[in-house]
Amino acid sequence: MIEVKYFARFREELGSDREQIEAAKVDTVATLLTQLRARGGVWLRLFGEEQRVMIAVNQEVADHATLLKDGDEVALFPPVTGG
Amino acid sequence: MIEVKYFARFREELGSDREQIEAAKVDTVATLLTQLRARGGVWLRLFGEEQRVMIAVNQEVADHATLLKDGDEVALFPPVTGG
Amino acid sequence: MIHVRVQDQPLDPHREVDLLRADNPGIGAVVSFIGLMRDLNDGDRVQKLYLEHYPGMTERALQKIAEEAVQRWELMGCRVVHRVGEMCPTDPIVVVAVAGQHRKEAFLGCEFVIDYLKTQAPFWKKETTEQGERWVDARVSDDEAEQRWRKTRDSD
Amino acid sequence: MIHVRVQDQPLDPHREVDLLRADNPGIGAVVSFIGLMRDLNDGDRVQKLYLEHYPGMTERALQKIAEEAVQRWELMGCRVVHRVGEMCPTDPIVVVAVAGQHRKEAFLGCEFVIDYLKTQAPFWKKETTEQGERWVDARVSDDEAEQRWRKTRDSD
């Protein structure tokens, strides 16, 4: 399984801070995002191609091309606003 | 009279922190420096053309061309090293 | 020499500067940045601020940024402490304290850390105004500030 | 909002930062520079440092530099305190604390003040090493640091 985490505005709008997704169905971040968008509604709105989505895999900055494997932790979040 | 002040290394090497100079004899900082150099010895060495001498007139940064008048306070000092 | 921390307790910037300097008479310059909660943002009065982070990744990101700064400018120390949770106007949100032999590298190191933190470390601000709660948008100026360090990378 | 001071008593940098911030919830960024006495200079152990100044002119120079910084970057406050007389390794020599709405201007203002202070404010350092006393020479790098602000003046 791949654990997907959502933070801040994404977490609130999705009403969820994490979920487990079947690793066999996603080989890259790009396929994961495609699968999430396919749910429509708020998923499509938040993760649409034109949205700014920051991605981390195993707590390191990642991008659409990053490969995924069983046991990975993926995080999706809006641009950061700390400091 | 013009009051001339010396600071730091200049003060120590001249063995004096100030003196009064006849205002009639100096109309600019340049003539003041020429007069001091004419004393020879340490005066010539400290205020020679090739030396870095910082100048203030009435506590404002000045240069060789600055005009002097009776009652002015002139300060001569080495490059500053604060902070 | 490097210390990074995320805490929900109030932040004491002076303590971080003291710890940074402690027992090192070779330090000639300390530059510190304190980010404070303002009572005004985008023209609206802000009553409260809530800061969320990504436990684990946030600390790793701060550590990485601090290490890069120390290496790049041969710093003698770097402390980064960021507050999370709920806070009020005038509360310190973040402290970046940097020590070096001379001032130039301390200024550069400190600015580098806060510029990167602003765009790379996972923190998110939500503010409470009279109109209710809202997530704060990222600033384009922060991206530009970060870009500057990439451009000059080869010419250091 | 602007405060400059020369003192022979030990300097408390934290107090200056606190006074700078006091009662102003509009401040979003405080950048401070602390210059500290190092126990090593040009390869020699330094035991003591003596700082001379030009009473009257020194305060005027600091005031002028602080005013220019505040005006140029629309700062919300600037405090410059410099110690004179005799001091020991790890003692703070100078504190420049600057407050602004955002970090960019606070960093620029703080660096501007210390760069100008280094080349324009009448202070002179004399250090005591094992070889005896010596006046410290001015650094070319300080002149270069100051020049940078002149060059960019028109392009701000």
Side-chain angles (χ1 to χ4, degrees):
Chain A
M1 300 298 274
I2 287 169
E3 178 154 46
V4 186
K5 293 184 168 183
Y6 307 107
F7 289 94
R9 183 167 54 81
F10 291 179
R11 177 178 51 71
E12 280 194 353
E13 296 199 26
L14 296 173
S16 162
D17 68 347
R18 67 185 63 201
E19 67 177 301
Q20 302 279 328
I21 286 185
E22 192 76 54
K25 294 182 181 167
V26 290
D27 54 352
T28 63
V29 170
T31 45
L32 171 64
L33 285 169
T34 304
Q35 191 173 316
L36 295 177
R37 277 194 292 270
R39 295 171 177 177
V42 62
W43 299 89
L44 184 56
R45 184 163 57 72
L46 291 184
F47 302 132
E49 307 276 1
E50 74 290 353
Q51 297 306 309
R52 283 191 69 187
V53 177
M54 288 181 79
I55 303 150
V57 173
N58 299 327
Q59 306 192 352
E60 298 281 355
V61 173
D63 58 30
H64 287 216
T66 304
L67 296 175
L68 297 179
K69 60 177 194 308
D70 194 40
D72 280 348
E73 173 179 308
V74 178
L76 300 176
F77 46 82
V80 302
T81 56
Chain B
M1 301 296 274
I2 285 168
E3 177 154 47
V4 186
K5 292 184 169 183
Y6 308 107
F7 288 94
R9 185 167 55 80
F10 291 180
R11 177 178 51 72
E12 280 194 352
E13 296 198 25
L14 296 172
S16 163
D17 67 346
R18 67 184 66 201
E19 66 176 300
Q20 301 280 327
I21 285 184
E22 192 75 54
K25 294 182 181 166
V26 291
D27 54 350
T28 62
V29 170
T31 45
L32 171 65
L33 285 169
T34 303
Q35 191 174 316
L36 295 176
R37 277 195 290 270
R39 295 171 177 177
V42 64
W43 299 90
L44 183 56
R45 184 163 57 73
L46 290 184
F47 303 133
E49 306 276 2
E50 71 292 352
Q51 297 306 309
R52 283 192 68 185
V53 177
M54 287 182 80
I55 303 151
V57 173
N58 299 328
Q59 306 192 354
E60 297 281 356
V61 173
D63 58 30
H64 288 216
T66 304
L67 297 175
L68 297 179
K69 60 177 193 306
D70 194 41
D72 279 349
E73 171 179 309
V74 178
L76 301 175
F77 46 81
V80 303
T81 55
Chain C
M1 197 181 66
I2 288 175
H3 174 89
V4 306
R5 198 170 76 241
V6 176
Q7 65 182 35
D8 58 6
Q9 293 303 302
L11 205 164
D12 178 357
H14 300 334
R15 187 166 170 271
E16 300 308 319
V17 170
D18 287 340
L19 290 169
L20 179 75
R21 290 183 48 196
D23 304 321
N24 192 343
I27 294 173
V30 168
V31 173
S32 66
F33 168 81
I34 311 173
L36 299 157
M37 186 189 155
R38 298 169 62 213
D39 65 351
L40 200 74
N41 193 26
D42 290 332
D44 295 312
R45 288 277 148 209
V46 183
Q47 290 141 359
K48 276 191 314 186
L49 185 68
Y50 170 79
L51 257 138
E52 179 172 334
H53 77 303
Y54 180 176
M57 180 174 174
T58 303
E59 292 83 352
R60 284 168 76 146
L62 297 180
Q63 179 76 24
K64 204 170 148 189
I65 294 166
E67 280 171 8
E68 184 165 348
V70 166
Q71 190 180 16
R72 195 157 159 186
W73 288 285
E74 298 178 21
L75 303 175
M76 302 178 86
C78 177
R79 295 180 75 90
V80 186
V81 185
H82 204 295
R83 195 170 164 198
V84 291
E86 225 171 66
M87 55 205 87
C88 297
T90 78
D91 280 357
I93 302 169
V94 61
V95 175
V96 178
V98 162
Q101 286 190 287
H102 303 291
R103 73 187 185 287
K104 184 73 195 163
E105 58 256 32
F107 271 107
L108 286 169
C110 188
E111 236 184 322
F112 172 90
V113 169
I114 186 64
D115 281 353
Y116 262 77
L117 184 155
K118 287 259 181 189
T119 57
Q120 298 291 317
F123 291 103
W124 302 272
K125 286 194 184 103
K126 187 189 207 175
E127 55 193 17
T128 306
T129 70
E130 281 157 22
Q131 286 81 47
E133 296 187 338
R134 66 185 182 197
W135 289 97
V136 174
D137 278 330
R139 286 177 192 273
V140 174
S141 61
D142 285 333
D143 289 332
E144 291 166 353
E146 189 226 270
Q147 280 303 318
R148 160 173 83 108
W149 300 103
R150 298 179 191 257
K151 275 183 210 148
T152 61
R153 194 138 191 180
D154 297 328
S155 60
D156 275 357
Chain D
M1 195 182 67
I2 288 176
H3 174 89
V4 306
R5 196 169 79 242
V6 175
Q7 65 181 38
D8 58 6
Q9 293 302 304
L11 206 165
D12 179 358
H14 300 334
R15 188 166 168 269
E16 300 308 320
V17 170
D18 287 340
L19 289 168
L20 178 76
R21 289 183 48 197
D23 304 322
N24 192 342
I27 294 173
V30 168
V31 173
S32 67
F33 169 80
I34 312 174
L36 299 157
M37 185 188 156
R38 297 169 61 211
D39 65 351
L40 201 75
N41 193 26
D42 289 332
D44 295 312
R45 288 275 148 211
V46 184
Q47 290 140 0
K48 276 193 313 189
L49 185 68
Y50 170 79
L51 257 139
E52 179 172 334
H53 77 304
Y54 180 176
M57 179 172 175
T58 303
E59 291 83 352
R60 286 168 73 148
L62 296 180
Q63 180 75 23
K64 206 170 145 188
I65 294 166
E67 279 172 7
E68 183 165 348
V70 166
Q71 191 181 15
R72 196 157 158 186
W73 288 285
E74 298 178 20
L75 303 175
M76 303 180 86
C78 177
R79 295 180 76 90
V80 186
V81 185
H82 203 295
R83 194 171 165 199
V84 291
E86 225 171 65
M87 55 204 85
C88 299
T90 77
D91 281 358
I93 302 170
V94 62
V95 175
V96 178
V98 162
Q101 286 190 287
H102 303 292
R103 74 187 185 285
K104 185 73 194 163
E105 58 256 32
F107 271 107
L108 287 169
C110 188
E111 237 185 321
F112 172 90
V113 168
I114 186 64
D115 281 353
Y116 262 76
L117 184 155
K118 287 258 180 189
T119 57
Q120 298 292 316
F123 291 104
W124 302 274
K125 285 194 185 106
K126 188 190 206 174
E127 56 192 18
T128 305
T129 70
E130 281 156 23
Q131 286 81 49
E133 295 188 338
R134 65 185 183 197
W135 289 97
V136 174
D137 280 330
R139 286 177 192 276
V140 174
S141 62
D142 285 332
D143 290 331
E144 290 166 353
E146 190 227 89
Q147 281 302 319
R148 160 172 83 106
W149 300 104
R150 299 180 191 256
K151 278 184 210 150
T152 61
R153 194 138 189 178
D154 296 328
S155 59
D156 274 357

